[in-house]
Amino acid sequence: MIVPLPPVQLPARLADLAAEYADGRREPAVPRDAATVVVLRPGADGEPEVYLLRRQTSMAFAGGMCVFPGGGVDPRDYDHTVAWAGPSPAEWAAQLGTTEDVARALVCAAVRETFEESGVLLAGTSADSVVADTTGDDWEADRVALESRELAMTDFLDRRGLVLRTDLLGIWSGWLTPVFEPKRYRTWFFVAQLPEGQVTRDVSSESSEVVWIGAAAAADAADAGELAMLPPTYLTCLEVGTHATPAEVIAASGGRTVAMFTPEVEPLGDGHALSMPDGLRPLVAARRA
């Protein structure tokens, strides 16, 4: 189901469907925990560029949409023995608003999904190193095995003598899919800068194409109808694009904690639209002025 970007008016059928959930006539789907990562690099003028994948149109959720690398938490992401460097699971739990077990799984899923969908690996041989190149055939074999779930993240790291560099991640926001969607995700949005020496690759089996684009330019393209995005992706690009550099984005993530936001139906003129976090309303209003 495609949801228009804010504050575009919702089709009447979606507003009516949302009303059925609101008054108890329908039971919402149980959401699945997920993690997504806004991978950043400096553009020609230093501005933050983001890595976007266009999902296959055949995908059951967000088919054809441009998204950041990410996906659902795998049960094996909860493994307590995963090699870990950086803030502890307890520290992450405080930022993410979860238990330590869930925080560990979300961080592991964020790193795993980023590698699976872009070839970028936030890991190193020690707490102060990071892998410089993941383009070899052996890396690709491991990536495919992770993607197919033939290989667990813990075993992958152990085999290569690597630790998760959780300090390379920052937290940005949290979004819960609206109640009227048949597939729902409770998604934590992370940010990370592309490690020096690494390159992104068009490797995900779930995407039809990939692109590096300025965050602000991505929001402009969505406004122009040139890129299809769900509201959380659009609003994240819009907000990230207010920063001058990727380093500023990472710095801004430092003091953040997640308050999970669920878009709801709200009045818009003679119809309805999806709500958005109050802090982002001025950014959207400025573009619509």
Side-chain angles (χ1 to χ4, degrees):
M1 183 179 295
I2 297 177
V3 179
L5 297 175
V8 176
Q9 196 168 92
L10 283 174
R13 61 182 178 81
L14 285 187
D16 292 342
L17 182 60
E20 293 180 16
Y21 283 99
D23 63 19
R25 281 178 285 166
R26 288 178 179 262
E27 190 71 23
V30 177
R32 180 184 176 189
D33 286 346
T36 192
V37 180
V38 185
V39 182
L40 303 159
R41 74 177 186 187
D45 297 320
E47 77 283 5
E49 290 188 342
V50 297
Y51 183 75
L52 291 173
L53 308 92
R54 192 186 305 274
R55 287 171 63 84
Q56 300 280 4
T57 56
S58 59
M59 298 296 292
F61 182 80
M65 298 285 103
C66 287
V67 299
F68 305 116
V73 171
D74 185 87
R76 291 179 296 182
D77 291 330
Y78 285 88
D79 191 342
H80 284 234
T81 65
V82 65
W84 189 280
S88 68
E91 291 174 289
W92 276 110
Q95 280 194 278
L96 302 178
T98 67
T99 64
E100 288 187 34
D101 279 354
V102 172
R104 180 187 290 105
L106 286 168
V107 170
C108 188
V111 174
R112 176 180 54 75
E113 288 282 349
T114 301
F115 181 55
E116 289 179 13
E117 297 201 333
S118 72
V120 172
L121 182 59
L122 304 176
T125 56
S126 66
D128 56 4
S129 69
V130 64
V131 173
D133 181 15
T134 62
T135 59
D137 291 344
D138 57 333
W139 288 104
E140 176 61 8
D142 282 347
R143 190 200 64 77
V144 171
L146 283 167
E147 189 176 40
S148 67
R149 299 299 179 264
E150 295 175 13
L151 179 64
M153 191 67 174
T154 300
D155 295 336
F156 165 65
L157 295 172
D158 286 348
R159 177 190 300 173
R160 289 186 170 271
L162 300 175
V163 296
L164 291 183
R165 285 290 307 277
T166 74
D167 56 310
L168 298 180
L169 285 168
I171 189 60
W172 197 252
S173 61
W175 291 81
L176 178 56
T177 312
V179 295
F180 53 77
E181 290 283 10
K183 282 184 176 289
R184 303 183 68 213
Y185 293 89
R186 186 185 295 106
T187 305
W188 281 258
F189 281 61
F190 295 83
V191 293
Q193 190 158 349
L194 179 68
E196 185 175 353
Q198 290 195 34
V199 296
T200 51
R201 293 175 291 142
D202 185 359
V203 292
S204 174
S205 62
E206 296 182 357
S207 65
S208 58
E209 60 180 311
V210 300
V211 64
W212 275 106
I213 185 172
D220 290 341
D223 285 336
E226 297 166 359
L227 289 180
M229 295 181 185
L230 293 175
T233 310
Y234 170 79
L235 291 168
T236 299
C237 285
L238 190 58
E239 188 178 12
V240 166
T242 65
H243 295 274
T245 65
E248 279 194 13
V249 178
I250 300 300
S253 73
R256 294 196 173 208
T257 56
V258 170
M260 195 63 59
F261 181 80
T262 307
E264 298 179 349
V265 174
E266 63 181 16
L268 176 68
D270 295 330
H272 298 85
L274 281 180
S275 65
M276 70 185 82
D278 288 341
L280 298 180
R281 290 182 185 271
L283 288 178
V284 174
R287 297 179 75 84
R288 303 298 190 265

